[in-house]
Amino acid sequence: MDHHHHHLLLLLLLWSSGAQAEEKSTESDDVRLVGGASRCAGILELKHLGEWRPVKGNSWTRKEAAVVCEHLDCGFPVSVGRREDASSSPTTWWISRDCLLSRSLLGQCAVSWELSSTSVFDITCSDSVRLLNGSSLCSGRLEVKSNQSWSSVCEADFDQQDAEVVCRELGCGPPSVLQGALYGEVEAPVWSKEFQCGGHESALLDCRSSGSARNSCSPGKAVGLTCSEGEDVRLVGGATHCTGTVELKYLGEWRPVEAIEWTRKTATVVCEQLDCGYVVSLGKRTGASSRSVWSISDMCTQLGSTLQYCASASFSKSIFDVTCSDSVRLLNGSSLCSGRLEVKSNQSWSSVCEADFDQQDAEVVCRELGCGPPSVLQGALYGEVEAPVWSKEFQCGGHESALLDCRSSGSARNSCSPGKAVGLTCSDNDVFRLEGGSNHCAGTLELKHLGEWRPVEIYDRMPQTAAIVCAHLDCGSIISIEQNHESSHRLTWGISADCVQDGSSLRQCAKSDHSSLITTLHCSDSVRLLNGSSLCSGRLEVKSNQSWSSVCEADFDQQDAEVVCRELGCGPPSVLQGALYGEVEAPVWSKEFQCGGHESALLDCRSSGSARNSCSPGKAVGLTCSDVDHVRLVRGTSHCAGTLELKHLGEWRPVKGFDWTLKTAAVFCGYLDCGSAVSIEQNLSSSFRSAWEITADCVQNGSSLRQCATSDDSMYFVKLNCLDSVRLLNGSSLCSGRLEVKSNQSWSSVCEADFDQQDAEVVCRELGCGPPSVLQGALYGEVEAPVWSKEFQCGGHESALLDCRSSGSARNSCSPGKAVGLTCSEPYDLRLVGGESPCAGTLEVKMGEWRPVYALQWTLNEAAVFCERLNCGSVLLKQERNQTNSRGTWWLKNDCIESSPDLRVCVTSGITDLILHLTCSDSVRLLDGSSLCSGRLEVKSNQSWSSVCEADFDQQDAEVVCRELGCGPPSVLQGALYGEVEAPVWSKEFQCGGHESALLDCRSSGSARNSCSPGKAVGLTCSEPDDIRLEGGASRCDGRLEIKHLGEWRPVDGSDWILNEAAVFCKHLNCSSVISVEARDNSFYNQTWFLNQGCVRSRSDLRACAASGFTYSILHLTCSAKQHTGGP
């Protein structure tokens, strides 16, 4: 079972053990730095649920520390590291850097970490200086803090020596650019005096300043400063300065680098910094004991950040060695083994003129760089350059180990004609092999990289990635890919699909890993399809004597095609046509194939004795095999019902698919030549079994099953029920389309004259839909398919269309526009049970049977949809409650509900003891507003909704409505604010005292009104009801984010928030800009509010975005303490 589903099962178990959870919305976070020289330095601690703990995390850099510094209203992140502290708490809050940088609320990222650890975060922020809006941590508009207020600095009061002090204070290199308005203007306060630094001070506020004061600054004169990145890197212990163990000098201290998931592509940064050439090799080894290191992740550097920016202090035994070429490099190429050649001498790089460089010289360069033999040698292939030109001709023998070991001519050259600078492409020198299989194209995948053979784990397991490996091995098409679990972990090379499919070479993508998952491949050894739209289509090529040849159309027939499709693990051939997938000048297969159609491989077939050397244009065989893997439904009442099994790579297994709905199931019903999908369930097995995992997205995107299927283990398997004789095609939902009926294994349309309303009622019931709403010819397109030959004569009570009587007469054709198109109403029934009114209780849906609803991370937005469908008013409360025991539920996907009118495409069957409870208003609602607390007012009486006329509704009435809906006091009351409507108008004037709990509890006038002037229907905006706070921090703008929603304070889940999204909370708190956001781990599962980040960005009311849940991760937030004034 994969990590995602392990996590899902764990989440369900933990959720089901929690108490009833009412949904509400509030904020709060407490963060502090303790034990340092100031409040802006020290060990990072988070107070969550009343408890202060140190913080742990994975690979934090100054980028993450910036969030904390900002949160504390401190300045710039000067350093971040981990240090041992024996006195620290044995439990910590764990905060993921990915979550933190996704600008999540801190509480959404915090998870309790209960393993004893003395390693804690130590952060130093500048307490008085910061750079804002820059392109890196070392650039931006300068601000200085005094008396808890930040001020810009005027250009006239700041010079180069001042800049040197600031850059040093921030841990950056010397200033490189000092210019007014470089990073934007601002209306913030201006620093009042001129700085007079000597340049040697350690902090800007240590400098002398003038006695004169300044209150304003001319436009464009606020100081913008760019400091150089100021990092030193070196390779130590090697034969030259271009080889050895990587060390970085950061914050004045040299330490080895712990290189997390580095590839050769990553290590290029080091070689470039050292002005060395190309990355020849890299390797990781283990030292005798842990020591202080700078930890740097591949992910951070690949985003373009500098080494210093990505460095975090840590402890590790890991030692990382890099070897760069010291005198040769390739620039501007498409891979590490291609580019414009440059040679280094006397600390200067020079291009090489084409006339001074030949094939033997190229062989030496490619070998020196650890690449394969040269494949292309051509002037200006990778751009021209005005750099110096190497002055002599190389005269290599081809056996030398380095270009500068070669002899050279005595003559000198100072220039080179345009287009003549050497461009070189070396082949990729990685060595792959498949071990333990029946031939060299099958077995366990191994890669020799950096001199070491290791097994490979292909992270995504998709055949498209494996196909690249097959091509690399000069094998044919990919037939199968599997991941096998070994009994123990060992060193592996990990290769990600994203990297390979971006066009990078395999060795650029290889990462050193430690895994028990090993990839096994089976490629065809003699047949392949090229340039096709899928793995089962393309131009046919056959391999013999290590050479690939196209096949001429005249030498290849349908029986030959059947053999090829079977050999490649595809379905039967569907299209066989010359030049279907392009022409090619490659060799042509010399003989005619004479297959019987039963052979297992094309080269097992007999062939003619005559030979062919050429093929007419447009005659090279293009072949499309069907992609239909074998699927079946077993242990059901018919071949169209039961547990879904897939035969893939020669093996039948049940199918695992957690996120499936009926829309996904319909694809498989089509594969089985069955009718419409009626139901889908998750069957729980008594033990784990091998399964084919298939995601809904992959299937619904049109990919073939073999492209979507990956090997996995599971206890949950898909059970389907498809109709065997009726289907609706080309409709807008599962309950609409052109009607087709199946008889004798053939599908036929039905003529409108042979089908009436009673027949339609039977079909809609058989499909599990509601009663027919539209019955019309050609509603969903015409078709030339066969037409059903007799008239249906249903009574309307039958359970299936083919159970109905039919006429004796036969029909063979149908007039154009007369094929039956049918729309059935949506099938589901909704109800709220066990509550005080029809608009409150446990939500249940009837789709064949009544079941409660499981709703993972629903917000009030999704819940509002059901209040509306139940003809209730606005949503007031959403709760997750525990059943006494697990039973069948309908799982509803929250990202589907608002966008689809057909619930069946959002529903899958599951088992859980956590179910949804809703409370909707039963008599009042606000429509078409920008939030749950705004809209056009409507009131319900006698099951009918009416607008209210402005003349019949005043401020006190509005206060009652806002309170009834759980919102804050009314802020805007205005006619037509949210549109006009022709609906009925409420007939009497409301006369509320303002203290009532519901609008219909108020007195009303005796007079009646039947109409309302245009623009006079009441539009109401209530203020947002959320209370938010930051708890346990150094100020009211710092701490654990908590939200009070419907009377209950809870922390906010801290997963995946980033600063931009967290800024909304600072605004709610009337604080200034967000400084830091982090997720801190709690020691136990807490009831929290999950806030949907997309919703938070687009809405003003937090409660519409909040879902109740349990998590370890709690969001901590630091905003600048200066009050928000409404400015940008």
Side-chain angles (χ1 to χ4, degrees), residues 10-32:
L10 175 62
L11 185 65
L12 293 177
L13 289 170
L14 289 166
W15 274 37
S16 64
S17 66
Q20 168 181 321
E22 294 190 358
E23 170 154 23
K24 318 202 171 159
S25 157
T26 317
E27 308 177 18
S28 185
D29 258 12
D30 280 337
V31 179
R32 67 187 181 191

Side-chain angles (χ1 to χ4, degrees), residues 103-397:
R103 303 305 187 191
S104 297
L105 294 174
L106 298 181
Q108 285 185 295
C109 293
V111 178
S112 180
W113 185 263
E114 303 212 30
L115 297 177
S116 179
S117 173
T118 57
S119 174
V120 293
F121 273 133
D122 191 359
I123 292 176
T124 300
C125 316
S126 73
D127 50 7
S128 58
V129 176
R130 67 184 182 190
L131 297 176
L132 296 183
N133 304 330
S135 56
S136 76
L137 287 175
C138 288
S139 65
R141 186 181 71 253
L142 176 64
E143 287 193 357
V144 181
K145 186 179 183 184
S146 180
N147 296 325
Q148 306 308 309
S149 175
W150 291 96
S151 305
S152 294
V153 177
C154 198
E155 200 178 15
D157 297 329
F158 193 86
D159 62 14
Q160 184 72 14
Q161 287 174 298
D162 304 330
E164 288 174 1
V165 173
V166 170
C167 290
R168 184 185 310 114
E169 181 176 0
L170 297 179
C172 301
S176 55
V177 182
L178 174 60
Q179 181 180 332
L182 185 64
Y183 295 102
E185 275 303 301
V186 69
E187 297 177 11
V190 176
W191 185 258
S192 61
K193 299 186 179 184
E194 178 186 359
F195 288 106
Q196 298 173 340
C197 298
H200 59 276
E201 296 85 351
S202 58
L204 185 63
L205 292 188
D206 291 344
C207 297
R208 293 172 52 230
S209 60
S210 67
S212 62
R214 176 190 305 275
N215 294 320
S216 65
C217 194
S218 304
K221 297 300 183 178
V223 167
L225 176 62
T226 301
C227 308
S228 59
E229 294 298 342
E231 62 193 6
D232 289 314
V233 65
R234 67 187 182 191
L235 296 172
V236 299
T240 72
H241 83 288
C242 290
T243 182
T245 299
V246 185
E247 290 190 353
L248 176 69
K249 186 180 182 183
Y250 175 45
L251 306 175
E253 182 182 358
W254 284 104
R255 293 186 188 180
V257 168
E258 180 189 20
I260 300 174
E261 295 192 339
W262 279 30
T263 66
R264 291 179 69 161
K265 205 172 181 180
T266 324
T268 300
V269 176
V270 173
C271 295
E272 288 176 354
Q273 293 255 354
L274 292 168
D275 198 31
C276 294
Y278 177 92
V279 183
V280 177
S281 71
L282 67 162
K284 186 181 287 189
R285 54 195 172 91
T286 303
S289 60
S290 289
R291 55 178 173 163
S292 296
V293 296
W294 297 121
S295 181
I296 300 176
S297 74
D298 163 73
M299 182 185 300
C300 182
T301 58
Q302 291 302 321
L303 292 173
S305 300
T306 65
L307 296 177
Q308 182 195 55
Y309 189 80
C310 296
S312 64
S314 186
F315 299 90
S316 178
K317 291 183 180 181
S318 176
I319 298 171
F320 196 72
D321 296 322
V322 171
T323 299
C324 316
S325 71
D326 51 5
S327 58
V328 175
R329 67 185 182 190
L330 298 176
L331 296 183
N332 304 330
S334 57
S335 76
L336 291 175
C337 288
S338 65
R340 187 182 71 253
L341 175 64
E342 288 193 355
V343 181
K344 186 179 183 184
S345 181
N346 297 324
Q347 307 309 308
S348 175
W349 290 95
S350 305
S351 294
V352 177
C353 198
E354 201 178 16
D356 297 329
F357 193 87
D358 63 14
Q359 183 71 16
Q360 286 174 299
D361 304 330
E363 289 174 1
V364 173
V365 169
C366 291
R367 185 185 310 114
E368 181 176 0
L369 297 179
C371 301
S375 56
V376 182
L377 174 60
Q378 181 179 332
L381 185 63
Y382 295 101
E384 275 304 303
V385 69
E386 297 177 11
V389 176
W390 185 258
S391 60
K392 299 185 179 184
E393 179 185 359
F394 288 105
Q395 298 173 340
C396 298

